[in-house]
């Protein structure tokens, strides 16, 4: 039997941050040898909230280069840009027409992001999870490694696939593969530096709320110095009254490679003044190698273009075959 297939992606809505790295990309890197992987830069998703046409193309390059800099290896993985494979938008339309509207109205991310948009909230933001279902289902993905915030969208993807199979397939000949989420416990939900009850996000208007993978050391130091803490001495995990403390200790644990018990022991009597420099060094050290590699890749756009061209070719082969299968099952007159 061949390897199982993985599909995942990140939106070029800004710079990648520690949440994207620890919740998603680091896990892609760790497991890529065991799977056949497709990682896309999901630029069609990036316009579901107001976007800047001046920066979209460059943000797309940045994310693709960061995938490589973080350790995505082209021997095991394909990297491509979502909008380069037109099957994504086309399948999204087909899925739209069989997805009940009320399934989408329940989505937490839509509710949270829609509040910020007021009257201007777009149909695209509501439809985001259907496009995401198309992204995944096109590749017959077995597993989708994501952060905790995407769990609900994965459940929707499964529901859509089951609905298509029920309506247009047979138990012996299903049309679409039902994917499973792959959510690793550590780092699945990295919280904002300015509010420990909200997740770290690219789209948070405050840059102080996140550590970006490309932040220089001085900026990392400044952000950690300014981040929200509490006046209590002695740092502890899992205290619901201290979400910021739990988040910063978790970050330190993952980045330092120590166990939770070791960190609990070490920090049990510490004050913030002692802990923050330790966290700062751990973050700077973890990111420095990624930053150096990123610069090398961005200095060679010809190489990056060739990676994305090859990725587009490989992704299109798989995606177009699935699209044709779905269209056939819907009864379309196929082009001749
Ligand atoms: P946006 O605010 O524009 O939605 P984002 O920071 O949520 O950006 P996405 O591109 O939507 O990033 O998500 C990319 C991947 O990163 C997904 O797998 C998502 O689950 C994961 N992810 C996003 N934020 C976090 C976080 N704070 N902790 C862990 N994983 C996260
Ligand atoms: Mg998001």
């Amino acid at each position: 039997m061949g390897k199982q297939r993985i599909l995942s992606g990140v939106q070029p809505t800004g710079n990648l941050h520690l949440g994207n790295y620890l919740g998603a990309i680091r896990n892609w890197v760790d497991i890529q040898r065991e799977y056949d992987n497709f990682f896309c830069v999901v630029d069609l998703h990036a316009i579901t909230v107001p976007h800047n046409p001046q920066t979209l193309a460059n943000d797309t390059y940045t994310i693709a280069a960061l995938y490589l800099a973080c350790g995505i290896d082209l021997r095991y993985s394909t990297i491509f840009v979502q909008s380069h494979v037109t099957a994504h938008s086309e399948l999204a339309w087909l899925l739209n027409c069989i997805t009940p509207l009320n399934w989408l109205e329940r989505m937490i991310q839509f509710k949270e992001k829609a509040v910020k948009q007021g009257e201007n909230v777009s149909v695209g933001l509501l439809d985001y999870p259907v496009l995401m279902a198309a992204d995944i289902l096109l590749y017959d993905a077995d597993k989708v490694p994501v952060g905790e915030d995407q769990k609900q969208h994965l459940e929707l993807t499964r529901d859509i696939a089951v609905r298509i199979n029920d309506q247009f397939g047979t138990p012996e000949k299903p049309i679409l593969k039902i994917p499973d989420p792959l959510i690793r416990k550590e780092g699945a939900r990295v919280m904002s530096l300015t509010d420990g009850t909200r997740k770290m996000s690219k789209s948070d208007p405050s840059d102080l709320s996140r550590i970006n993978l490309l932040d220089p050391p001085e900026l990392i130091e400044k952000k950690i110095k300014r981040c929200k803490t509490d006046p209590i001495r002695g740092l502890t995990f899992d205290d619901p009254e201290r979400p910021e403390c739990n988040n910063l200790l978790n970050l330190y644990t993952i980045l330092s490679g120590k166990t939770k018990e070791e960190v609990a022991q070490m920090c049990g009597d510490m004050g913030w003044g002692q802990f923050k420099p330790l966290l700062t060094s751990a973050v700077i050290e973890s990111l420095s190698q990624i930053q150096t590699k990123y610069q090398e890749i961005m200095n060679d756009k010809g190489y990056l273009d060739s990676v994305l061209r090859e990725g587009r070719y490989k992704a299109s082969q798989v995606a177009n075959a699935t699209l044709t299968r779905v269209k056939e099952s819907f009864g379309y007159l196929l082009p001749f």
Side-chain angles (χ1 to χ4, degrees), residues 11 13-15 17 49 113 116 198-206 209-210:
Q11 310 182 65
T13 36
N15 267 328
H17 53 73
V49 292
K113 288 193 175 177
K116 299 182 202 155
R198 291 176 45 181
K199 83 165 192 81
M200 191 177 277
S201 278
K202 282 188 251 100
S203 58
D204 190 315
S206 167
S209 70
R210 61 186 160 257

Side-chain angles (χ1 to χ4, degrees), residues 5 7 38 80 85 88 135-141 315 318-319 322:
R5 174 85 48 76
L7 179 290
F38 286 85
F80 69 101
V85 180
H88 288 250
D135 300 337
I136 295 165
L137 298 172
L138 274 176
Y139 296 87
D140 289 327
V318 179
T322 309

Side-chain angles (χ1 to χ4, degrees), residues 11 109 113 128 149-150 199:
Q11 310 182 65
Q109 177 178 282
K113 288 193 175 177
Y128 173 117
D149 63 309
Q150 293 296 333
K199 83 165 192 81

Side-chain angles (χ1 to χ4, degrees), residues 21-160:
Y21 180 59
L22 299 178
I25 300 170
R26 182 187 59 133
N27 306 329
W28 307 353
V29 171
D30 286 351
I31 58 177
Q32 64 184 328
R33 280 171 196 75
E34 300 157 44
Y35 293 92
D36 173 27
N37 314 275
F38 286 85
F39 298 119
C40 51
V41 183
V42 286
D43 55 347
L44 297 171
H45 286 273
I47 65 164
T48 55
V49 292
H51 81 286
N52 182 350
Q54 256 75 51
T55 54
L56 181 60
N58 204 51
D59 286 346
T60 303
Y61 271 131
T62 296
I63 297 217
L66 275 171
Y67 285 178
L68 292 164
C70 288
I72 295 299
D73 184 332
L74 298 171
R75 281 176 299 172
Y76 313 109
S77 305
T78 300
I79 297 176
F80 69 101
V81 177
Q82 181 192 28
S83 68
H84 292 181
V85 180
T86 54
H88 288 250
S89 341
E90 199 173 345
L91 183 62
W93 176 256
L94 300 179
L95 301 185
N96 269 335
C97 295
I98 60 97
T99 304
L101 182 59
N102 67 53
W103 287 11
L104 298 181
E105 288 166 338
R106 289 202 295 264
M107 295 292 115
I108 296 161
Q109 177 178 282
F110 172 69
K111 290 185 199 164
E112 286 177 354
K113 288 193 175 177
V115 173
K116 299 182 202 155
Q117 310 290 321
E119 299 250 297
N120 288 324
V121 58
S122 71
V123 175
L125 187 66
L126 179 71
D127 202 27
Y128 173 117
V130 178
L131 178 59
M132 180 165 156
D135 300 337
I136 295 165
L137 298 172
L138 274 176
Y139 296 87
D140 289 327
D142 297 279
K143 299 267 161 50
V144 186
V146 283
E148 179 74 36
D149 63 309
Q150 293 296 333
K151 196 166 169 224
Q152 196 187 27
H153 291 163
L154 248 300
E155 279 157 13
L156 184 97
T157 300
R158 291 168 57 90
D159 290 344
I160 291 174

Side-chain angles (χ1 to χ4, degrees), residues 144-271:
V144 186
V146 283
E148 179 74 36
D149 63 309
Q150 293 296 333
K151 196 166 169 224
Q152 196 187 27
H153 291 163
L154 248 300
E155 279 157 13
L156 184 97
T157 300
R158 291 168 57 90
D159 290 344
I160 291 174
V162 168
R163 195 171 169 91
I164 297 250
N165 288 344
D166 285 351
Q167 288 188 12
F168 304 103
T170 59
E172 302 73 44
K173 208 165 169 256
I175 315 296
L176 295 168
K177 179 169 267 179
I178 315 290
D180 284 314
L182 203 60
I183 301 175
R184 182 157 147 186
K185 205 164 149 264
E186 313 80 50
R189 194 166 173 81
V190 174
M191 309 310 278
S192 156
L193 295 184
T194 47
D195 178 353
T197 63
R198 291 176 45 181
K199 83 165 192 81
M200 191 177 277
S201 278
K202 282 188 251 100
S203 58
D204 190 315
S206 167
D207 193 54
L208 287 176
S209 70
R210 61 186 160 257
I211 290 171
N212 301 306
L213 299 193
L214 297 175
D215 283 346
E218 319 76 70
L219 187 55
I220 294 173
E221 195 181 351
K222 179 177 142 192
K223 286 178 174 176
I224 294 179
K225 257 194 192 139
R226 296 229 189 137
C227 74
K228 188 171 172 203
T229 53
D230 54 33
I232 306 167
R233 202 185 159 78
L235 309 180
T236 48
F237 284 99
D238 301 322
D239 182 344
E241 304 288 314
R242 304 181 73 189
E244 287 81 18
C245 185
N246 188 52
N247 185 44
L248 297 175
L249 285 188
N250 273 327
L251 277 181
Y252 180 68
T253 307
I254 301 173
L255 296 175
S256 67
K258 295 185 169 44
T259 64
K260 190 170 171 180
E261 291 68 32
E262 283 169 336
V263 174
Q265 172 94 35
M266 221 180 108
C267 302
D269 296 318
M270 261 187 204

